[in-house]
Amino acid sequence: MEHEVVIVGAGPTGLMLAAELKLARVDVAIVERRANQDVLGVRANGMHARTLEVLDQRGIAERFTSQGQRGPYIASLTGALLDIRDLPTRHNYSLALWQNHIERILAEWVTELAVPLHRGADVTDVRQDDESVEVTFGDQTLRARYLVGCDGGRSLIRKRAGIDFPGHDPSVTYLIAEGAMRDEPAWGLRRGKNGTQALAKLEHGTVRMVLSEEHVELAEPSEHDLRAALQRIYGSDFGLHDVTWVSRFSDMARLAAAYRSGRILLAGDAAHVHSPVGGQGLNLGVQDAVNLGWKLAQVVHGGAGELLDSYHAERHPVAARVLRDTLAHTALGRGDERTDALRELLSGLVDSKRYAETRCGLDIHYDLGEGHPLLGRRMPDLTLDKGRVYTLLHQARPVLLALGELDFDCAPWPRVRRVRASCAEPWILPVFGEVSAPRAVLIRPDGHVAWVGEGSTHGLRAALDRWFRV
C-alpha cells in the first residue's frame, strides 16, 4: 500500500483536504493533471466568513487576508448590497482574492506539510475492491486505502465510481473574458432578458467582460463569439483587441447522488456544480474538505467506517441549499418586467441579516439531536483567558473545553485535547442571537459542536465514542 489516502485534484478543495489529513497524521498524496499551480483565466474571486473562520481554525487565515481586499458588503438575491459588518464573527467581511492566489497559498502550506504531489498526472483509470483503490496515471499506478475525487465538475473519479450526477441543464451561458478596448464602453452592470452583463475597468487598461448569450452554447468560445456578443448587447465591440483569454460558464446545477461509493469519496466541484453567482463554489469545497478530513483520518487510524456516512449526511444538504440559491439568483438576474416586479417584491423579504448569515455559511447546522442551540453549529471564536477558541484547533484535533469544573477522564480518547478556561464574553450565534453560556463543549476538528454540557457530563461519553473512538 503506497499511501493511506490519494487525492485526485490539487485545486482549493484537494489542497485543503490534503493538509487536513496530514495534520491528522495520515499518509496522503495528491495527483494533479496540471504541470503547475497556474489557473487559466478567472475562476473564484474570494472567500466568505465561514471559510475564513475555517482557515483561522488552522492558523493560516492571515496568509490570505494579508493579500486580499476586505469588503463590508455582499450581494443579495435581488442584487442589493447587504452590510455584513454586524455579523457575529471576527471575519465580518468578504475577502476579494483571485483563485490563483488562493491556490498558491494553499499549495505553499501543503508543501510545508510535506505532502507528495504528482504533477502532470492525467488519471486514466480507477479500480477499487474491498481492501483498496488503485489510480492509474501515465505509466504509474498508486494504491491506497481510500481515494477522494476533487477533480472538478467533469470528474472522472465520480464517473468511474458510478455515482449519478442529477440536476438541471443550463438555461443560460455567459462569456467571461479580458482584453483591451480602443473606445470607452458603458461601464458597470446592465440587465438583459437572459441575465446580467458587466464591463469593468481593471489596472493597466484591461477590461473584464461578462456577457450573457442569446442561446445556450457549450463549445469552447472564441474571440469571434466575444465580438458578436458585444455587438448584440451594446451595438459595438468598442475596438476590442489583445484578448488575453475568453471562457464560458453556465447556470447548470448538479449534485452527486452520493458522496461516497465504497472506498471512493467526492468533494468540491466533483460533488456539486452550480452557477458562480454569489461566489460560493470554492467556499463550499473548502468546507467539504474540512468536514471530511478528520473523519477520514479517524477511519484510517482504526475508527468505525460508518463515520464516513456522516460526511454525505452533513454536507449534501448544504450543497443542495447552495444550488437552490444560485438557481434563484440566476432567475432573478434577468431583466424583463416580470422579473423586475418579482425582484422588487422580494427585496424586503430576502435583503436581510438572516440571508447574509446563510450566504456567508455562518448558519450551517448539522443535525446532532435536540439540545442547546450550539449543538451541531459552528463554535464561535470567543476570547478565553487562555486566548481565542480557534487557536485551540490549529492542529485539527478535537477539543473538550471546560468552562468550569468537569469531572471526566478523556484518556480513552487520546486525540481529544482537554482545556480548562474561562470566558466573560456573551455567546452570540447566527439565527439565535445571544444564548446561555454552557459549562462545557466538545468541539470537533471542523469547528462544529458535538456535545454541550449544561451542568453534567450526560451524553459526553456517547458523543466521544460516536466521533472519536479509535
Side-chain angles (χ1 to χ4, degrees):
M1 195 80 66
E2 285 94 346
H3 300 284
E4 291 168 326
V5 177
V6 168
I7 297 168
V8 177
T13 303
L15 292 168
M16 191 73 200
L17 179 58
E20 290 290 294
L21 290 166
K22 191 69 174 182
L23 287 172
R25 301 173 292 111
V26 171
D27 177 12
V28 57
I30 308 175
V31 176
E32 166 59 42
R33 63 178 177 78
R34 290 175 292 170
N36 53 52
Q37 209 63 45
D38 291 348
V39 176
L40 179 63
V42 169
R43 295 190 186 179
N45 178 24
M47 292 181 281
H48 294 310
R50 181 54 190 156
T51 302
L52 292 165
E53 286 189 340
V54 162
L55 298 171
D56 202 351
Q57 290 170 186
R58 298 299 178 259
I60 61 169
E62 194 275 335
R63 301 189 188 195
F64 299 87
T65 57
S66 64
Q67 298 192 36
Q69 183 175 355
R70 303 184 188 200
Y73 304 103
I74 60 169
S76 77
L77 279 174
T78 66
L81 293 180
L82 302 180
D83 191 330
I84 58 175
R85 287 174 290 187
D86 63 345
L87 294 185
T89 172
R90 293 181 189 274
H91 300 283
N92 53 350
Y93 54 89
S94 60
L95 186 73
L97 186 65
W98 292 112
Q99 182 168 332
N100 59 326
H101 298 300
I102 294 170
E103 288 198 19
R104 172 180 52 77
I105 297 167
L106 285 171
E108 290 169 355
W109 185 37
V110 166
T111 298
E112 292 169 15
L113 294 171
V115 175
L117 205 166
H118 301 268
R119 290 198 177 277
D122 204 357
V123 173
T124 56
D125 196 18
V126 177
R127 299 175 300 280
Q128 69 167 316
D129 56 32
D130 292 341
E131 302 297 326
S132 65
V133 187
E134 290 185 345
V135 56
T136 300
F137 51 96
D139 58 357
Q140 285 188 269
T141 297
L142 289 181
R143 187 164 170 255
R145 291 179 60 187
Y146 290 92
L147 174 70
V148 186
C150 301
D151 53 335
R154 297 185 177 90
S155 173
L156 174 70
I157 305 304
R158 185 188 64 242
K159 295 171 184 175
R160 293 300 172 89
I163 297 174
D164 290 337
F165 203 40
H168 301 276
D169 290 332
S171 69
V172 62
T173 52
Y174 289 83
L175 294 172
I176 181 169
E178 285 185 7
M181 291 179 173
R182 183 185 65 247
D183 303 324
E184 186 92 357
W187 302 111
L189 300 177
R190 174 185 295 190
R191 294 191 190 278
K193 67 175 184 177
N194 290 334
T196 303
Q197 333 294 334
L199 298 178
K201 183 186 292 186
L202 306 180
E203 58 186 11
H204 309 305
T206 302
V207 178
R208 179 166 298 137
M209 298 152 267
V210 180
L211 310 169
S212 65
E213 298 187 274
E214 196 166 18
H215 306 288
V216 172
E217 302 287 349
L218 301 178
E220 284 296 316
S222 65
E223 186 174 330
H224 172 77
D225 296 327
L226 187 62
R227 291 182 184 278
L230 285 167
Q231 287 283 359
R232 174 176 56 82
I233 296 166
Y234 295 95
S236 171
D237 67 6
F238 304 106
L240 180 69
H241 63 94
D242 292 333
V243 174
T244 53
W245 57 268
V246 57
S247 63
R248 178 173 273 140
F249 68 88
S250 76
D251 67 334
M252 180 174 67
R254 295 190 178 277
L255 178 58
Y259 279 19
R260 177 190 177 196
S261 175
R263 293 182 173 273
I264 298 175
L265 299 107
L266 305 176
D269 289 352
H272 38 71
V273 295
H274 52 82
S275 166
V277 294
Q280 298 185 78
L282 182 149
N283 294 270
L284 191 59
V286 168
Q287 293 169 43
D288 284 347
V290 175
N291 183 282
L292 173 60
W294 67 272
K295 296 174 180 177
L296 185 53
Q298 286 279 127
V299 174
V300 165
H301 292 318
E306 59 264 25
L307 184 61
L308 291 179
D309 295 336
S310 71
Y311 170 56
H312 172 95
E314 292 181 351
R315 294 304 298 170
H316 192 273
V318 175
R321 185 175 71 169
V322 169
L323 262 65
R324 289 193 298 271
D325 182 88
T326 57
L327 287 171
H329 206 128
T330 299
L332 287 169
R334 298 186 172 100
D336 59 273
E337 290 186 6
R338 290 178 174 82
T339 307
D340 290 343
L342 177 60
R343 191 183 308 110
E344 182 178 351
L345 178 67
L346 289 176
S347 62
L349 302 175
V350 299
D351 296 347
S352 64
K353 180 180 178 180
R354 178 72 182 86
Y355 178 77
E357 291 171 340
T358 298
R359 171 63 67 80
C360 294
L362 295 175
D363 72 335
I364 292 171
H365 174 234
Y366 301 141
D367 185 6
L368 304 186
E370 299 294 325
H372 192 282
L374 267 171
L375 189 62
R377 299 184 185 275
R378 52 47 112 190
M379 178 70 183
D381 187 23
L382 300 170
T383 300
L384 309 173
D385 62 337
K386 297 181 179 179
R388 295 191 292 120
V389 169
Y390 286 0
T391 62
L392 304 177
L393 296 169
H394 284 184
Q395 296 305 310
R397 290 175 57 186
V399 173
L400 178 59
L401 177 61
L403 299 159
E405 293 296 330
L406 186 69
D407 184 17
F408 193 86
D409 181 13
C410 285
W413 303 273
R415 284 285 290 169
V416 177
R417 180 184 177 190
R418 180 169 172 164
V419 177
R420 173 80 181 274
S422 62
C423 177
E425 280 190 46
W427 293 61
I428 300 175
L429 299 182
V431 181
F432 290 92
E434 186 171 352
V435 300
S436 61
R439 299 293 299 277
V441 287
L442 177 62
I443 310 170
R444 305 189 322 187
D446 60 357
H448 282 256
V449 176
W451 171 84
V452 180
E454 298 182 86
S456 76
T457 60
H458 177 71
L460 177 55
R461 181 175 296 274
L464 287 163
D465 278 343
R466 176 182 180 183
W467 298 111
F468 309 120
R469 184 177 73 251
V470 176

